[in-house]
Amino acid sequence: GGAAGAGGAGGGRGGRGGGSPSVVPGQFTVKVQLAGREFTKPLTVELDPRANVTTADLEAQRDLALNLRDLGGRVTTVIDRADDLIAQLSALVENIRRNAPNEREALNEAEGALVELRKLRDEKLARPIQGLNYRQYPRLREEVGSLAGAVSRTITRPTDAQGRRYGELVTETDAVRQELQGIVNGRIAKLNGLLRNLPHIIVRGGAIM
């Protein structure tokens, strides 16, 4: 067998830092590479005898923790795409104002896309100001991180409420992904069609996944 992958969202800065999902009891092989040589050793992970939990409970916890880790990665991808587009649009708006002030329609589309992207990022994806968490309601990134931390902190089967919340967060992630794709297919596509001798907005990575 093998250990669960590293990474995952948690309760730390930016909704991260919750640590890796735990492995369930079983037989594993530890591999270490040192100075070009590989060393292997069998490892047995046993359940803490004080824990009132079954292997099936731990498997359910691990599976939900892994799903939340993957969901956190999807949210981060959407945030990174939004940030990249915001940076490109900000530069483009300044370029149009400075070098092509008569391109009013393109400027309007660029400014409109910028407003929509910033609203999506700051109102739905991630807290706009780090360090003021107690004064700002959590956005999607923080919600996923909070649930991941709650699932991983205890040695127990995830609750039904945690399972339902995970499903809701998947739905919310799909919704913001579609909203970002709508901006790309709408204003940004129109903007690129209007731009002739000016740089275009590059949508990196294709469709927003």
Side-chain angles (χ1 to χ4, degrees):
R13 184 178 184 274
R16 299 173 183 169
S20 302
S22 300
V23 299
V24 299
Q27 301 295 322
F28 299 88
T29 300
V30 177
K31 294 183 179 181
V32 177
Q33 289 186 337
L34 181 63
R37 298 178 60 190
E38 183 175 274
F39 303 88
T40 63
K41 186 175 182 179
L43 173 69
T44 300
V45 175
E46 297 180 348
L47 179 64
D48 187 334
R50 299 168 297 180
N52 184 24
V53 65
T54 67
T55 299
D57 293 335
L58 295 178
E59 288 173 344
Q61 181 189 41
R62 175 204 60 197
D63 291 346
L64 182 54
L66 289 170
N67 286 338
L68 283 162
R69 182 194 66 181
D70 294 343
L71 183 61
R74 291 182 60 198
V75 172
T76 296
T77 295
V78 176
I79 293 171
D80 289 345
R81 294 283 188 89
D83 284 343
D84 178 63
L85 292 171
I86 287 169
Q88 289 189 65
L89 283 163
S90 298
L92 181 63
V93 165
E94 291 306 310
N95 188 11
I96 294 174
R97 287 174 176 167
R98 190 168 51 247
N99 300 314
N102 293 328
E103 296 282 353
R104 296 304 308 172
E105 189 175 4
L107 181 60
N108 288 340
E109 289 299 331
E111 290 177 332
L114 199 51
V115 168
E116 290 179 9
L117 284 167
R118 285 174 171 159
K119 183 177 181 181
L120 175 64
R121 182 191 62 188
D122 292 346
E123 294 186 3
K124 296 182 180 180
L125 284 168
R127 286 188 175 114
I129 303 175
Q130 294 292 346
L132 294 179
N133 294 359
Y134 66 96
R135 293 172 57 186
Q136 301 181 69
Y137 68 87
R139 276 62 161 182
L140 188 55
R141 179 171 64 184
E142 290 81 30
E143 291 280 9
V144 173
S146 177
L147 181 59
V151 168
S152 298
R153 271 194 294 272
T154 58
I155 305 176
T156 184
R157 172 180 285 275
T159 66
D160 291 342
Q162 288 172 333
R164 286 193 301 272
R165 185 59 184 142
Y166 166 72
E168 293 168 355
L169 291 171
V170 170
T171 300
E172 291 176 32
T173 300
D174 288 340
V176 296
R177 180 192 61 78
Q178 292 172 10
E179 188 172 346
L180 179 56
Q181 190 67 56
I183 297 171
V184 168
N185 295 343
R187 281 191 180 274
I188 291 177
K190 182 178 179 182
L191 172 62
N192 281 339
L194 292 169
L195 297 172
R196 292 178 290 276
N197 299 318
L198 292 172
H200 285 45
I201 298 299
I202 300 171
V203 182
R204 298 180 174 88
I208 312 297
M209 300 303 292

